[in-house]
Amino acid sequence: MSQPDEPHHEEFVSLYELYLHIAYHLLGRPQLARTVAAALRDRDVSTVLDCAAGTGFPSLDLASDGSGSLVVHCCDADPRMLAVLCDHAGRLGVDLGSLMPPTQTDGDREPGLESLVLNWRDLGQIDMVYDLVMCRGNSLVYANTWGGGDEVAPLDTIKAYLSHMADRVRDGGFLLVDAPWQLAMGTTTHGLIGGWSCTEEVHPDHADETDRREWWVHFRQEGRERPLSFRRYSSALTVRLIQGALLEMGFEETTPIRLEGERTALGTIIARKTG
Ligand SMILES: C[S@@+](CC[C@H](N)C(=O)[O-])C[C@H]1O[C@@H](n2cnc3c(N)ncnc32)[C@H](O)[C@@H]1O
């Protein structure tokens, strides 16, 4: 069977937003935001860095909850994802300046999209440590492939990124990361939401010596003849491998859990940095 055409990056980001809308509509986007908020309260967290903020889910939900009790800073390597975050922030009345992590070059920075762009390898530029650093939404396994391509990050690179994230956590603070429970994730169908349904397939891909996973999402709409589709490659990692890396780094409370409202395929770790 011939593969569908892949969209350019801007269209991919719009389709990813549609995917979040459909996948979390059923699972409960507000529920996930409430679960994360409760996890932060239980751990007396008042400062958060979301270093894979993407389009702002659920950091904007946390930043705009009306309590004013949380400082939420956001960054991500992908300007297209952050452009959507900036649009959402505008609609929710969240000031972009309040989301900007402080850096050593703050004198030159205006609040805006550019001031939120930061690769995990450059997290050391941030001039602050946080009660909790978050890298959720199955982001780690897409290290460096979110913009396209099949050059997935090896475990050593993922460990180096985790170490940069850990450096932004204060002693006694927390690192929240997630990853799939299993390597093979099979096929899941979501929908019908707003006339759309989507089917996602995650399969191991052994095309060359590299172990990686291939994720296809196909969107169908009533009356539309051909599905809209996108594909992304990810590192073949499980949440247990991430747990092992965090234990090596001296973190405690590393047992993965299933967060209420989260996609069932993902295990989440909220590990404590020993001081
Ligand atoms: C699966 S998306 C999840 C985004 C968001 N957390 C969510 O739940 O919608 C993965 C995110 O990780 C970001 N990312 C991947 N590699 C990165 C890197 N090396 N540095 C910073 N961000 C990266 C991508 O740009 C993308 O926004």
Side-chain angles (χ1 to χ4, degrees), residues 116-132:
L116 305 178
V117 178
L118 199 63
N119 195 292
W120 297 328
R121 65 171 174 262
D122 301 322
L123 286 173
Q125 289 179 13
I126 297 179
D127 230 359
M128 175 167 170
V129 288
Y130 295 83
D131 295 335
L132 183 137

Side-chain angles (χ1 to χ4, degrees), residues 84-182:
V84 179
L85 181 150
C86 292
D87 284 351
H88 289 325
R91 263 194 298 281
L92 291 166
V94 176
D95 172 28
L96 283 186
S98 74
L99 299 175
M100 263 170 62
T103 67
Q104 292 121 13
T105 54
D106 259 358
D108 310 330
R109 297 196 313 156
E110 290 292 324
L113 195 161
E114 288 305 324
S115 58
L116 305 178
V117 178
L118 199 63
N119 195 292
W120 297 328
R121 65 171 174 262
D122 301 322
L123 286 173
Q125 289 179 13
I126 297 179
D127 230 359
M128 175 167 170
V129 288
Y130 295 83
D131 295 335
L132 183 137
V133 172
M134 174 157 75
C135 177
R136 65 151 295 285
N138 204 16
S139 296
L140 262 184
V141 302
Y142 290 98
N144 307 351
T145 51
W146 198 245
D150 61 3
E151 304 240 338
V152 300
L155 184 57
D156 280 355
T157 305
I158 302 274
K159 284 183 180 174
Y161 287 147
L162 278 171
S163 158
H164 293 310
M165 292 171 199
D167 287 345
R168 293 301 102 218
V169 179
R170 69 161 170 81
D171 288 343
F174 299 89
L175 181 56
L176 187 159
V177 288
D178 62 12
W181 292 104
Q182 294 171 7

Side-chain angles (χ1 to χ4, degrees), residues 247-269:
L247 284 169
E248 273 174 28
M249 290 163 62
F251 275 85
E252 293 175 342
E253 299 168 27
T254 58
T255 306
I257 52 173
R258 184 167 131 51
L259 284 186
E260 210 178 319
E262 186 52 277
R263 283 175 277 169
T264 51
L266 300 181
T268 301
I269 298 174

Side-chain angles (χ1 to χ4, degrees), residues 227-273:
L228 297 172
S229 304
F230 69 73
R231 169 174 56 180
R232 281 295 178 272
Y233 287 99
S234 63
S235 305
L237 298 178
T238 62
V239 71
R240 295 285 176 194
L241 270 169
I242 304 297
Q243 179 185 20
L246 291 174
L247 284 169
E248 273 174 28
M249 290 163 62
F251 275 85
E252 293 175 342
E253 299 168 27
T254 58
T255 306
I257 52 173
R258 184 167 131 51
L259 284 186
E260 210 178 319
E262 186 52 277
R263 283 175 277 169
T264 51
L266 300 181
T268 301
I269 298 174
I270 311 177
R272 199 163 70 84
K273 181 173 171 177

